[in-house]
Amino acid sequence: MTAMLKEIPRKKMSITCAVCQHVVTHEVANLMLVVDENMTTHEIRQQATCPKCKAVGDNTYTVA
Ligand SMILES: [Zn+2]
């Protein structure tokens, strides 16, 4: 599912790094404070940097 952040403000986005399997969960409400609310979850995924191994965009994500 791809949605704009502003459409899913009460959801959480969990990003799993494909390289090291590190998982980071973001509350969408908090993401909107640091990125444009019109960005989609897909765009967030592409820009996401793993805090553990620094891989960029190499991940999968779920929204719940
Ligand atoms: Zn990683």
Side-chain angles (χ1 to χ4, degrees):
M1 181 189 82
T2 295
M4 283 190 279
L5 297 184
K6 66 182 181 184
E7 297 172 332
I8 54 169
R10 297 171 189 278
K11 302 258 185 189
K12 292 181 182 178
M13 182 176 179
S14 294
I15 300 174
T16 303
C17 177
V19 178
C20 73
Q21 306 300 310
H22 185 71
V23 180
V24 179
T25 301
H26 299 285
E27 293 192 24
V28 172
N30 289 337
L31 279 175
M32 285 193 290
L33 298 175
V34 292
V35 301
D36 193 285
E37 66 179 10
N38 293 312
M39 281 183 72
T40 63
T41 52
H42 181 68
E43 289 169 330
I44 297 292
R45 185 199 76 73
Q46 290 177 309
Q47 295 187 12
T49 302
C50 176
K52 190 173 178 185
C53 74
K54 309 303 183 190
V56 180
D58 191 1
N59 55 60
T60 57
Y61 73 94
T62 57
V63 175

